[in-house]
């Protein structure tokens, strides 16, 4: 409910913001009118609480100076992505060795987003050609996956890339919704991207891309912080920053639990 | 009701974890074992990353061993001197074990090695236990007396130098095999997340010929310190001890153990050992099947730094 209210408020703000900007542009000496794109999110921070089961992030956007004709025939497309923190990721492949399945080959990809959720007005492969999407790195199938170090067999790397995407999609860290962006009025759109329960914490980035007749004309970015809250954060911090004290505390809890039980359940 | 595990970085159903802790606690109380060898595979079956399962399992064993050790200490069936000598080897072994653990993790063979070790140990110990208890049951059925142990019987272990006198155990024994046994168990503690009682107890009885009455208490004493030390070292090097997971397991475990003890007292020794042997074999078999069956997906992901 709160999110809805906040989102509505934001929508109002955005609407209000459109008019002066338009006026300014019109009175300015820009010969051809250029489209503008403004985005806002329902929240700038997502908290991972102890009962966190994933969340939806709503992104509102306003298209300014849109060409009426192009709008009418649906020539504007919006793609919104939420990119998680980037990290090196290793994909390992199992093979049968002496009857046992063990990891034999591996490929490490440099700096790929740990999570990636994409929403668009229609399937992104209908919006642009694959080669252009690959160049821009928009969409799950088009993210750059560059292996680190020497990899002999290019064909094998393709298998590893395919496996990477499949695994990420199956564990929910990568998601796509080709109807996730909706125009609520000719110039206002709303996008919903999903954050899975296992979303990594850190700074995520919302990217909004505006396509006109299939050409990328504008891009807007917004940061989104995903933080563990209260106790969860305190535990993670303690485990990484004061590992010795943390370890001691774990042992202490164990000692107290074991000792406590022997007192509580003492028979004599 | 779900609970978020901050170190494993995933949400789990709290009742499943509580149930797991209580069930393993019940079995550990019934059979007088630490339960680490059951908790770690169960956590892995429940998709907890093996790195976290092993480190957290070691932490859980601290709690489950401590109440046992206290009652043995009260009854005077704990040889502190023998326990300390075992501990020297145990700490050294655990240090090496954590190093091996980190190395296996880096080269991507940790999960495989954990499974292989479990299959090997659980398979061997389970079969031996089952065979021994069936023999005992047959003997009981035929009313044959137990074969007498000759007290003077010595093996090669007793010819080693550096002999020490352990008053409580009433034995005069070289420190070398004791330290070596502790060392081996220490490695297993940090690589497998077990206390190692299921290996140490038979080794102390059959190899070192330590009187049965002090064996369990003394091994528990050593297990507490080695698992506590392993927890610390795992926390410091792999950041993989999940305190939330460990606490839920421990609380459920110690309560379950109390009921297990009561049921255990009603069953006969050889029946108990046969059941435990079957259980150990079943867990080992399940892990072995996973190793041999074609996996659902040949590929797996691992993120640099920490992650599943």
């Amino acid at each position: 409910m709160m999110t809805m209210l906040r989102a509505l408020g934001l929508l109002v703000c955005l609407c209000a913001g459109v008019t002066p900007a338009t006026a300014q542009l019109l009175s300015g000496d820009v010969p051809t009118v250029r489209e503008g794109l403004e985005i806002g999110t329902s929240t700038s921070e997502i908290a991972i609480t102890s009962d966190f089961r994933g969340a939806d992030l709503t992104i509102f956007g306003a298209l300014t100076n849109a060409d009426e004709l192009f709008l009418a025939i649906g020539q504007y497309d919006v793609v919104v992505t939420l990119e998680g923190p980037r990290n090196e990721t290793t994909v390992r492949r199992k093979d049968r060795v002496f009857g046992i399945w063990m990891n034999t080959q591996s490929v490490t990809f440099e700096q790929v987003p740990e999570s990636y959720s994409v929403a668009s007005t229609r399937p992104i492969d209908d919006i642009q050609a694959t080669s252009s999407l690959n160049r821009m790195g928009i969409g799950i199938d088009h993210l750059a996956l560059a292996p680190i170090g020497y990899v002999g067999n290019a064909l094998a790397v393709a298998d590893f890339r395919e496996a990477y995407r499949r695994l990420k999609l199956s564990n929910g860290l990568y998601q796509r919704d080709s109807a996730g962006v909706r125009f609520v009025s000719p110039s206002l759109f709303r996008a919903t991207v999903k954050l899975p329960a296992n979303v990594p914490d850190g700074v995520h980035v919302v990217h909004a891309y505006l396509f006109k007749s299939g050409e990328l004309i504008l891009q807007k970015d917004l940061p989104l912080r995903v933080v563990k809250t209260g106790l969860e954060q305190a535990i993670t911090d303690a485990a990484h920053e004061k590992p010795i004290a943390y370890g001691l505390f774990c042992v202490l809890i164990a000692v107290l639990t074991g000792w406590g039980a022997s007192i509580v359940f003492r028979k004599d | 009701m779900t609970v978020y595990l901050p170190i494993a970085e995933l949400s789990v159903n709290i009742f499943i974890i509580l149930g797991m802790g209580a069930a393993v606690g019940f079995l550990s109380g019934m059979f007088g074992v630490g339960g680490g060898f059951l908790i770690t595979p169960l956590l892995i079956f429940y998709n907890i990353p093996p790195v976290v399962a092993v480190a957290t399992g070691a932490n859980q064993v601290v709690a489950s061993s401590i109440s046992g050790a206290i009652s043995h200490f009260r009854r005077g069936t704990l040889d502190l001197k023998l326990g300390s000598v075992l501990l020297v080897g145990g700490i050294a072994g655990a240090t090496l074990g954590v190093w091996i653990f980190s190395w296996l993790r880096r080269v991507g063979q940790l999960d495989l090695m954990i499974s292989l070790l479990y299959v090997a140990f659980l398979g061997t110990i389970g079969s031996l236990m089952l065979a021994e208890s069936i023999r005992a049951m047959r003997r009981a059925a035929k009313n044959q007396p137990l074969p007498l142990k000759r007290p003077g019987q010595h093996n090669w272990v007793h010819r080693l130098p550096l002999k020490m006198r352990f008053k409580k155990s009433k034995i005069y024994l070289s420190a070398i095999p004791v330290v070596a046994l502790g060392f081996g168990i220490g490695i297993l503690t940090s690589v497998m997340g077990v206390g190692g009682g299921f290996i140490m107890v038979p080794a102390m009885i059959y190899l070192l010929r330590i009187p049965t009455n002090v064996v369990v208490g003394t091994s528990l004493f050593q297990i507490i310190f080695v698992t506590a030390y392993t927890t610390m070292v795992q926390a410091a090097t792999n950041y993989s001890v999940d305190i939330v997971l460990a606490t839920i397991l421990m609380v459920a475990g110690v309560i379950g153990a109390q009921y297990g003890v009561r049921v255990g007292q009603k069953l006969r020794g050889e029946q108990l050992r046969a059941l435990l042997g079957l259980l150990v074999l079943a867990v080992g078999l399940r892990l072995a099947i996973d190793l041999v069956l074609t996996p659902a997906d040949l590929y797996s992901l691992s993120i640099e730094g920490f992650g599943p």
Side-chain angles (χ1 to χ4, degrees):
Chain A
M1 197 60 217
M2 273 310 288
T3 327
M4 266 311 267
L5 280 177
R6 241 184 291 158
L8 270 175
L10 190 84
L11 194 64
V12 173
C13 293
L14 280 172
C15 294
V18 171
T19 336
T22 320
Q24 205 178 14
L25 259 174
L26 285 175
S27 63
D29 46 14
V30 186
T32 46
V33 178
R34 297 209 43 183
E35 287 87 347
L37 177 66
E38 295 298 333
I39 57 166
T41 51
S42 49
T43 175
S44 62
E45 191 172 285
I46 299 261
I48 302 181
T49 50
S50 60
D51 56 351
F52 184 74
R53 262 185 266 177
D56 282 354
L57 178 74
T58 305
I59 296 130
F60 284 97
L63 196 58
T64 56
N65 289 330
D67 190 311
E68 298 287 341
L69 181 65
F70 278 81
L71 259 182
I73 54 170
Q75 284 295 302
Y76 286 108
D77 280 298
V78 177
V79 176
V80 176
T81 65
L82 177 66
E83 248 185 65
R86 285 175 177 261
N87 222 327
E88 284 178 7
T89 302
T90 303
V91 181
R92 295 200 163 91
R93 195 196 132 88
K94 283 195 178 71
D95 282 298
R96 205 187 268 270
V97 180
F98 301 116
I100 286 168
W101 290 93
M102 65 183 286
N103 290 326
T104 48
Q105 301 169 55
S106 71
V107 171
T108 302
F109 295 112
E110 62 182 29
Q111 303 301 312
V112 281
E114 278 181 55
S115 65
Y116 191 79
S117 189
V118 50
S120 50
T121 42
R122 56 194 173 118
I124 51 167
D125 290 283
D126 297 349
I127 299 172
Q128 244 299 5
T130 309
S131 58
S132 310
L133 289 169
N134 282 345
R135 188 163 29 80
M136 297 180 284
I138 303 173
I140 293 170
D141 297 334
H142 311 290
L143 279 174
L145 293 175
I148 292 177
Y150 173 75
V151 184
N153 190 345
L155 215 69
V157 177
D159 285 345
F160 278 88
R161 284 202 182 98
E162 197 268 323
Y164 174 84
R165 294 188 172 109
R166 187 182 65 238
L167 289 166
K168 283 289 195 181
L169 279 167
S170 71
N171 66 16
L173 282 169
Y174 280 22
Q175 301 195 21
R176 63 177 139 218
D177 183 357
S178 55
V181 182
R182 296 240 162 122
F183 274 95
V184 288
S185 84
S187 61
L188 283 172
F189 64 84
R190 191 180 71 182
T192 308
V193 288
K194 286 191 165 56
L195 282 84
N198 49 353
V199 69
D201 59 331
V203 178
H204 293 233
V205 185
V206 177
H207 295 291
Y209 305 94
L210 178 65
F211 290 86
K212 185 186 184 183
S213 306
E215 286 307 311
L216 177 65
I217 55 169
L218 272 171
Q219 180 183 346
K220 274 281 151 84
D221 304 332
L222 263 185
L224 173 79
R225 295 192 331 123
V226 176
V227 292
K228 294 179 182 176
T229 53
L231 191 62
E232 284 74 28
Q233 183 59 46
I235 290 172
T236 314
D237 284 350
H240 286 90
E241 284 155 29
K242 299 189 189 78
I244 304 281
Y246 174 83
L248 261 178
F249 191 67
C250 291
V251 171
L252 186 72
I253 288 186
V255 170
L256 288 178
T257 313
W259 188 38
S262 81
I263 291 171
V264 172
F265 296 102
R266 204 172 163 174
K267 288 194 196 85
D268 48 35
Chain B
M1 198 176 108
T2 60
V3 61
Y4 182 77
L5 305 177
I7 302 298
E9 295 189 313
L10 49 91
S11 292
V12 292
N13 188 330
I14 190 168
F15 298 111
I16 290 182
I17 302 289
L18 276 173
M20 246 184 230
V24 172
F26 181 83
L27 295 171
S28 73
M30 191 158 133
F31 300 124
V33 291
F37 71 96
L38 291 173
I39 236 19
T40 308
L42 276 181
L43 290 176
I44 295 172
F45 296 155
Y46 191 52
N47 286 329
I48 304 285
V51 185
V52 177
V54 167
T56 308
N59 192 13
Q60 190 266 344
V61 176
V62 178
S64 65
S65 312
I66 220 157
S67 46
I70 288 174
S71 64
H72 278 281
F73 184 75
R74 284 204 198 109
R75 272 186 263 150
T77 48
L78 196 168
D79 188 333
L80 280 177
K81 189 174 174 189
L82 180 63
S84 306
V85 177
L86 272 171
L87 190 54
V88 172
I91 298 286
T95 310
L96 178 67
V98 171
W99 186 85
I100 295 172
F101 186 90
S102 305
W103 176 76
L104 285 171
R105 212 183 136 189
R106 256 198 322 278
V107 298
Q109 302 297 357
L110 179 68
D111 300 9
L112 173 75
M113 198 47 77
I114 290 174
S115 294
L116 279 178
L117 281 174
Y118 267 104
V119 169
F121 278 101
L122 298 181
T124 314
I125 302 286
S127 318
L128 287 175
M129 223 181 264
L130 197 62
E132 187 273 334
S133 54
I134 288 171
R135 269 200 307 275
M137 274 190 260
R138 280 212 186 118
R139 256 198 314 271
K142 287 182 199 155
N143 260 332
Q144 276 175 6
L146 280 169
L148 282 173
K149 264 194 204 136
R150 267 166 280 151
Q153 213 171 46
H154 279 202
N155 55 13
W156 59 271
V157 167
H158 298 84
R159 287 194 293 273
L160 291 168
L162 276 173
K163 290 212 169 186
M164 288 174 83
R165 193 168 295 283
F166 300 101
K167 277 199 193 107
K168 199 135 222 166
S169 310
K170 299 192 187 76
I171 50 162
Y172 185 59
L173 184 68
S174 161
I176 294 170
V178 181
V179 172
L181 178 62
F183 186 79
I185 301 294
I187 294 178
L188 295 185
T189 300
S190 42
V191 179
M192 297 169 73
V194 297
F198 67 102
I199 297 161
M200 189 152 46
V201 170
M204 282 165 86
I205 295 174
Y206 298 113
L207 215 60
L208 303 184
R209 301 279 159 84
I210 293 163
T212 319
N213 62 332
V214 294
V215 162
V216 175
T218 308
S219 77
L220 281 175
F221 168 82
Q222 190 261 6
I223 286 168
I224 292 170
F225 289 95
V226 175
T227 49
Y229 174 77
T230 304
T231 306
M232 298 273 311
V233 180
Q234 288 282 20
T237 55
N238 290 308
Y239 312 114
S240 50
V241 182
D242 197 305
I243 200 168
V244 176
L245 180 61
T247 308
I248 300 172
L249 288 175
M250 283 187 253
V251 172
V254 292
I255 296 170
Q258 301 303 324
Y259 294 96
V261 169
R262 276 169 222 179
V263 174
Q265 281 161 350
K266 290 190 189 118
L267 288 171
R268 288 174 50 192
E270 56 264 29
Q271 290 174 336
L272 217 55
R273 286 200 300 279
L275 279 177
L276 181 60
L278 278 175
L279 182 73
V280 167
L281 271 181
V283 176
L285 199 65
R286 165 72 212 267
L287 282 165
I289 287 171
D290 284 350
L291 282 177
V292 183
L293 276 189
T294 306
D297 201 324
L298 292 180
Y299 293 89
S300 62
L301 287 181
S302 75
I303 296 158
E304 301 302 306
F306 195 80

